[in-house]
Amino acid sequence: MEHIRTPKVENVRFIDRISSRKAALGTLYLTATHVIFVENVSETRKETWILHSQISSIEKQATTATGCPLLIRCKNFQIIQLIIPQERDCHDVYISLIRLTRPVKYEELYCFSFNPKLDKEEREEGWKLVDLNEEYNRMGIPNNYWQISDVNREYGVCDSYPTEVYVPRSATAHIIVGSSKFRSRRRFPALSYYCKDNHASICRSSQPLSGFSARCLEDEQMLQAIRKANPGSDFIYVVDTRPKLNAMANRAAGKGYENEDNYSNIKFQFIGIENIHVMRNSLQKMLEVCELRSPSMSDFLWGLENSGWLKHIKAIMDAGIFIAKAVAEEGVSVLVHCSDGWDRTAQVCSVASLLLDPYYRTLKGFMVLIEKDWVSFGHKFNHRYGNLDGDPKEISPVIDQFIECVWQLMEQFPCAFEFNERFLIHIQHHIYSCQFGNFLCNSQKERQELKIQERTYSLWAHLWKNRVDYMNPLYRADHGQTQETLHPQTAPCNFLYKFWSGMYNRFEKGMHPRQSVIDYLMAVKEETQQLEEELEVLEERLSNLKKVQVNNNKVKNMQQDRNKALRLSASNNSIANTPQEYSNNLKSFPSRSPSQGDEEDSALILTQDNLKSSDPDLSATSDQESGVEDLNCRSPSGGCLPSEDSGKDPDSDEAVFLTA
Amino acid sequence: MEFSELIKTAKPGGDGEQGTVELWLLIRNVDAVEKRFASSSGTITLKCKDLRVLQLEIPGMEECLNIASSIEALSSVESVMMMYPFFYRPHSMKLEQGWHLYLPHHYYQQTSAWRLSSVNRDFATCSTYPSAIIVPAIVDDEALRKIARFRQGGRFPVLSYYHKKNQTVMLRSGQPLMGPNKKRCQEDELLLKAALCGRARGFVIDTRSAQAAKQARMTGGGSEPKAAYLGWKRLHRPLERGRPLQESFMKLVEACNDPSLGMDRWLSKLESSKWLSHVKAALSTACLAAQCMEREEACVLVHGAEGTDTTLLVTALAQVILDPDCRTLVGFQHLLEREWIQAGHPFHLRCAHSAYSHARLKQEAPVFLLFLDCVGQLGRQFPFSLEFSERLLLALFENSYASAYGTFLCNSEKERSLCKVKETTHSLWSWLNQPNQQKEYLNPLYSYNALVIWPSVEPQSLQLWQGLFLQWIRSSQYLDEAWAEIQRLVEGSKTPRTNGAAHSQRLLPH
């Protein structure tokens, strides 16, 4: 690769951000797709793999006596510090990475070289796993009120919309095209979700080009058509997810929002979600708090508040709750928009759908939801997540916020989701990893031009294949919580929004609960199932026994089998219960970490089609934390930080103890 | 005094109809009574010590006033002997049960360099210690009496915990009464020397700042000088206590109950209450004590000033971290008996009022609540390692402030003996340990974990105790369902196994 100035640097020190004392010595490799660090310790040869597309920034710090430090921050919130002995090597690595992490062509991205050794049919099958037509059929569409429209065939009306769009039957092509001319980027109102039970729907669009007084008859007819498609209600809500001030400012530029006087029977509502720039800065501030070394409780809480992050999450959730309530309780249809209708609108529509429809809370349904509200409606993945080198002002954690909303809901409704936290974290990882083609480009049109489905693999198939890792053991399809519309508590509810350390500090294993309830319960559940199956067999045998005296040997064998099974399952349990042994006994831990299979081939092959790191935990799996923490380096003892009183009293032995 | 004198209106309104919901509230649980009147009826708001808020609408102004003043009078009865436990006589329980759950000589049998002393038989040497205490074998009772005079409240250093694994010990005491002249006490120095059992090092963990410890000399107190106590090193870890801790509790509860707060103001109120900072500090200090024993293999002496509050917080928490036996349902009860109740934490004074009271603060401080919160944090970080669940911690919180049982009455064993608490009230433990109750408090995920459980004390790892502070504010329906589901899964895994075993028994050839 022409961009790699130096493929290998030896005697590099890799620093665990929490405890600077635990530096590991090893070799650094640069490949076309990954940065790889291999520890020197011969028996473990622990490897850390980082995809170039995950790297968000590289910082070269001032050279010290020990070497030249390089700080790498990743989009999945991993932070890595390397100390490279020679300044020249460090510079080469730095320059190489700067180029490697800013690809200019889609073809440079990992998904075009990633090959999971599936044949063509398997790949095609994978892409068929999520089918949006099937999804609209599931909603009960087409029906008397809604139909599929081919008005956007060849992307003739709106290039960021899919070709197949669902609209009210009474909306003619003339009305749609007319309406699209009156909407930013021609993103006309289209169906996002339809509620079979009461005909209420959620539609989405961009802002109208109303300026101070402009009107558009077709756009008014379009909204009328949406209202008529819901015979149960004589009005619709129009929800503008922007703060009112922002929407008003847009009027000066000939855009703006719907005037209630011009549209018959609409109720207009502002919901103040801030724009992508505010969100980008907010995340930045929150990550600075996460990066603090041994912060005090006040530093942390103050920083968290100051970032405004949880306030923004709550705003998105509130908007979703408002819409879900309108649809489920009032039976009123809602049209949602923001400015372009591809960021806040996507967040809000998908949160509302998730609250309304239990299907989206299943593993498969969640994939469908992201495909429907994000991928197909032209959320600009490439710009927002900086897959290709581009304008840094376009980058913003829009889908990250949606994923966090889902997590916050999972915390409030632990039995309502079929999937677990790991599922969310892995999806977030792959939105940035560019290992699968799903989230490439900014629109369906671009993806089609690139022939993504012929040249890359689908993430959904990969996740589906490993679905057993992503199951929530507490989920029960027959549970009341599972089948209803979710009603998150509203006021007072600020305290229900929590900092998600599992995401933003996910690589600081020491911060998280040392024992995983989810994994344990999953193991218990499986074991119970096995035992129940065995029990059935035994019962069957028992009834046979009553009829005929069976061969004694046979029964003996059966008995032995059963004993063996019990012993196995019992040992599984004890391991799950003593996580302190994880570090010594990684392989026998019953949690099926998807990377486990990779452990066998620990030999390092530095080829481009190396398949490693198809899983986001890879760089972390070998980093299992023991239950026993080195307190000298962490704050329980106030380790590195002398207490404020030290030094004042010569009698105190503070310093002596700490260096001892 | 007859209670009936205090009751002005016994029963307002109509007769109770059949099928009506009954609410029984221990009057002792009422922390504050607020009244509001509108024309002919009135509203009484009862703010309870367990943080619940109840509103009663009562027709008739006079009746409303009567009821409010009756509740006020009854809830502020100060005499211990007038408290409910002395009158509570459930049929299913026997009075003497549960009072001898923990006996010091059981604990003492583990050791040899230590002896059980009865120097405090009549509570004369130290009014806040139990009658039997464990001290180094070579220090005689005479020396103990001398040392008691050199330690605040007579609280001479006693054994708090013996770490079997490496035979290190933790002691606790009151501060040494050095005073401005740096007085010394030979016997005290000898005791601490003996406590080292030949080890090179010991650590005195003072729960005050170095500055505060120094200032304490002006009022007769102080902290062990290095020169006088060879081998002992002093570490200062200031922990909040007394009024600031009580105010922190009140601020937090106020923030939780304020529906008008936006997200930003909620976080800043949470921050400014400092409650989570206190949780972090308490856990950190307990980890330090545990680390000194487990990692440094050194002995530890913990004290602050009186040695009855933050001292016990640290010694008790350190034991939960170090000792798996303290993490069982019964072991935890032993720990509470040993390190809180018999160790003389003044429950009566500290838990006289909770977070709502408008009464002038006297000696209230939620030190025990802070301990329960810290144990809850450990349980969240090690979900399989505690045999009991959050529900036990909640029950303990409620009972420490208002209870039908005598366990948390009074300030010391001496007072309990004077009030005949053990003879005339029921023990909370005997109620908790009934099989049907026990089930309620067990953690279905528990599995014995012999290891030390070192928690993370990073702010990201510590959480507001929602189950307590938001108990009456947010609905816990979905979380309870999840808990029930966990129980079902774990129980479910047992059924096929027992059935399977039974069947295979029958399948065995005879």
Side-chain angles (χ1 to χ4, degrees), chain A residues 32-131:
Chain A
T33 52
H34 289 84
V35 180
I36 305 156
F37 179 82
V38 184
E39 266 182 39
N40 283 352
V41 183
S42 55
E43 66 265 33
T44 50
R45 301 273 296 169
K46 189 183 130 182
E47 296 171 16
T48 304
W49 290 61
I50 300 147
L51 264 170
H52 295 327
S53 47
Q54 281 292 357
I55 295 176
S56 66
S57 76
I58 311 146
E59 204 180 301
K60 216 174 107 188
Q61 297 168 320
T63 311
T64 63
T66 53
C68 191
L70 202 63
L71 191 68
I72 300 176
R73 288 193 178 83
C74 299
K75 295 168 181 174
N76 59 6
F77 312 113
Q78 186 170 24
I79 297 173
I80 283 158
Q81 195 175 19
L82 300 169
I83 296 183
I84 298 171
Q86 298 295 321
E87 207 280 332
R88 203 177 47 83
D89 287 336
C90 182
H91 186 72
D92 282 347
V93 170
Y94 175 74
I95 294 293
S96 310
L97 282 179
I98 286 283
R99 175 60 189 82
L100 289 167
T101 57
R102 290 177 193 167
V104 290
K105 290 200 312 276
Y106 282 119
E107 281 75 6
E108 291 178 46
L109 294 174
Y110 185 41
C111 56
F112 290 99
S113 55
F114 173 68
N115 176 6
K117 293 185 182 138
L118 296 176
D119 57 33
K120 188 159 164 277
E121 283 76 40
E122 284 173 302
R123 183 175 64 199
E124 283 168 2
E125 277 305 304
W127 281 109
K128 280 182 200 148
L129 185 70
V130 172
D131 179 339

Side-chain angles (χ1 to χ4, degrees), chain A residues 305 481 494 527 628 636 649, chain B residues 234 261 268 284 295 481 497:
Chain A
E305 180 204 303
Q481 217 184 106
N494 294 306
E527 186 196 305
V628 181
D649 183 358
Chain B
R234 231 168 63 219
L261 294 180
S268 74
S284 305
R295 294 287 182 85
E481 277 176 25
R497 195 173 298 166

